[in-house]
Amino acid sequence: MWQRFMDAGRFVFLDETGTATNMTRRYGRAPRGQRVVDAVPHGHWLTTTFVAGLRENGIVAPLVVDGPMRGEIFRAYVEQMLAPALSKGDVVVLDNLAAHKVAGVEEAIRGVGASLLYLPP
């Protein structure tokens, strides 16, 4: 059993990354003695989040979300996109983001015969 559990092909590492429209350079270059002048966007900031699972053979269940990752969005992602891409015996590895621990996430993953492993804090 441990042989199958430790099979690298069974691991799915799940994480997200995001970007915001207010991300601007904090430093710049100008000729000596002159100030750097540049435009900075202002107004309504927008956040875009990308979440996906990574297997040894590629990416599974990629999703782009307008806004930050929240618990209800993550649960819907797991139920509708990730769980159907999993097989019995897969191990989903997650970090300790609060959104990863909402009710329904563990049940959706275990419901397809996969297991869940949280990384240490």
Side-chain angles (χ1 to χ4, degrees), residues 6-82:
M6 296 306 289
D7 178 14
R10 298 311 235 159
F11 284 88
V12 179
F13 295 90
L14 192 75
D15 205 4
E16 56 276 321
T17 187
T19 185
T21 58
N22 66 345
M23 295 178 73
T24 61
R25 291 177 174 241
R26 298 187 61 165
Y27 303 97
R29 293 179 181 229
R32 182 168 286 198
Q34 295 182 19
R35 296 190 114 189
V36 173
V37 179
D38 198 4
V40 177
H42 32 335
H44 301 286
W45 310 124
L46 301 173
T47 300
T48 301
T49 303
F50 173 73
V51 60
L54 179 64
R55 290 183 174 275
E56 78 173 344
N57 62 349
I59 292 177
V60 295
L63 176 68
V64 175
V65 177
D66 286 331
M69 184 55 69
R70 297 188 323 268
E72 63 271 12
I73 293 172
F74 187 72
R75 182 180 58 244
Y77 164 76
V78 168
E79 292 171 350
Q80 298 171 25
M81 296 191 71
L82 181 65

